[in-house]
Amino acid sequence: MDQAARARLLVRSEENLDTFTEAVKPIVAAVAAEGDAALIRCAQRFDGAPAGFDAIRTPPEDFVHARGRVSAEVVAALEFAADNIRRYHQAQMPEDMWLKEMRPGVFAGERWSPIDSVACYVPRGKGSFPSVALMTAIPAVVARAKRVILLTPPGADGRADPATLIAAELAGVAEVYRVGGAQAVAAAAYGTESVPRCLKIVGPGSPYLIAAKKLLAERIDPGMLAGPSEALVLADETADGRLAALDLLVEVEHGPDSSGFLVTPSRDVAEAALKAIPGFFGQMSETRIDYTLTVLSSERGGIVLTPDLQSAYDFVNDYAPEHLMIHAKEPYAHLGQIRNAGEILLGENSSNTLANFVIGPNNVLPTSGWAKTMSPLSVFDYMKRATVAQVTPAGFAGLAKAAEVLARYEGFDAHANAVSETRAKIMAERKG
């Protein structure tokens, strides 16, 4: 294909947010001005909450109610996933502080500390996502964030998704607020009668949520701008096209705004995948089939046949996918060629489904090409670093002259005076 056609394949559904931004502005303004009243109206208008819906915070009895609505099998799976996610993020934790002697008597390092408050957003529009509750809340708790709340849309019964409430409990989060979309971002940014104002909001969502995050970025840290799902499957000539097709469908079934491509230099693999896809539809619901066909018949999905492996690598790196699955007998042979991907899954056993739920690494990943500069959600998103330094008298003597010279060159007199003979005299007097 020519460069223009190739460039069109790199475009994501939320790349131009102007329309979404205009749509969310009045929502944000209403929440800022009216608080809970605006949230209740939005819940009824956008989420289908019942007319009597009037409480934003999930009451304790709803957590008890949730246990009766979720099967023991699902609860066990959530517990299994939570354990793996917690283990992974505990291993990710940095040491509280480190110091290194840079020169004799000069010590410098960093101290890590948790942020004071964070809102974890769990979407619900095209399904229920208790896995996102685990992935956003567990690292926050592991990082020891001072206050962790969860925001998620109410359903038609006015309640939060029951499995999401169980996931919140497993993560150690007791504050769950029934609010979704752009209004959830506004609630966390401004605070309402029910929802506490937070310093940061994390979690994936629709283009409306992303637009609200950008709009309110000066009032709340929007975290990673994780939008609709996207994935690439990179397959060499040793891959089984049927398995590659199975993994291709994993992310494109999320919704019509998702993106997904199988990228391969092998015509045999491409044709095998193309032949296999219709057979998998027999095990999918009509809704998921519709989403999948919408994506795969557009310029946001399909099979890309490249002239060689290098062209395949180039497409992957230019696309910078949220998820990348490498199907090959020797996947590590390709790993060194990949620069840009939020997540890299190696080999035909490393299905994206496993990574989304139970391996342990986070499933909240940079989308829309942001994997070129951003990383997956982690404990570091709930922490901040402060540099720490200490200089002894001997160390001061070795640094002061160079610092004074630079300060005077840049025209900062007080800077220079603070490390000049003036300071030395004062310190000598104190010793005397």
Side-chain angles (χ1 to χ4, degrees), residues 307-318:
D308 49 48
L309 265 173
Q310 186 57 55
S311 299
Y313 298 146
D314 292 343
F315 186 85
V316 170
N317 286 318
D318 288 344

Side-chain angles (χ1 to χ4, degrees), residues 82-121:
D83 184 56
N84 284 354
I85 295 164
R86 187 172 289 107
R87 289 176 187 229
Y88 177 85
H89 290 90
Q90 285 173 338
Q92 202 176 53
M93 283 289 287
E95 55 183 318
D96 289 344
M97 188 174 81
W98 63 268
L99 283 174
K100 181 178 180 180
E101 191 169 20
M102 314 302 291
R103 290 178 178 272
V106 180
F107 300 87
E110 295 177 332
R111 188 191 70 166
W112 286 91
S113 59
I115 63 177
D116 286 343
S117 57
V118 64
C120 299
Y121 184 76

Side-chain angles (χ1 to χ4, degrees), residues 28 182 184-187 189-190 211-222:
V28 168
V185 183
Y190 289 101
K213 283 187 174 186
K214 286 191 171 183
L215 188 64
L216 291 163
E218 293 185 1
R219 191 165 183 88
I220 187 170
D221 181 343

